[in-house]
Amino acid sequence: WKGAASYEAGDYEAAIAAFSGNSSIDGRYNLANALAQNGQLQEAADLYNTLLQEKPDFEAARKNLSVVEEKLKQQQQQQEQQRPTTMAS
C-alpha cells in the first residue's frame, strides 16, 4: 500500500523504492509505471519488455510500453535538434 500511496501522491522515488521489493508481475508493473513517471524511461521500457516476455497478453504493459517508447523517441529527436551543427568550410 505504501508504494501505491506514494505513487498517487506523485512521490515516484518513494514508490520506486516500495515497488522494488515486489517481484510479482503486478509489483514489477507498478515499478515500471513509477519509473516512467519519474522520467526513467529506458528502465521502464526494459521492465515492460521483460513483463511482456513473461506474460505476452499483458495489454496494460503493452500500452504503457508504446507510450514510453514514443516519449523516448521524442527525447531523442529533441536531443538531435539541440546538437550544434558544424559546417565544413
Side-chain angles (χ1 to χ4, degrees):
W1 66 268
K2 205 174 217 178
S6 297
Y7 185 91
E8 291 298 319
D11 186 355
Y12 302 118
E13 289 186 16
I16 290 166
F19 291 134
S20 289
N22 186 339
S23 62
S24 71
I25 291 258
D26 286 341
R28 289 180 293 147
Y29 171 72
N30 290 333
L31 173 58
N33 292 341
L35 287 166
Q37 290 293 338
N38 200 45
Q40 295 170 256
L41 300 177
Q42 189 58 59
E43 294 93 331
D46 292 344
L47 190 47
Y48 288 131
N49 276 314
T50 300
L51 291 167
L52 287 166
Q53 287 173 355
E54 293 175 27
K55 188 177 176 186
D57 62 341
F58 197 165
E59 287 306 315
R62 187 174 311 285
K63 179 178 167 240
N64 289 358
L65 174 61
S66 75
V67 170
V68 165
E69 286 177 335
E70 187 60 37
K71 286 184 180 181
L72 281 168
K73 219 180 285 182
Q74 288 172 0
Q75 273 186 356
Q76 188 176 18
Q77 288 171 348
Q78 286 174 348
Q79 287 171 355
E80 287 172 4
Q81 289 171 359
Q82 290 172 357
R83 273 194 207 123
T85 54
T86 55
M87 297 186 134
S89 45

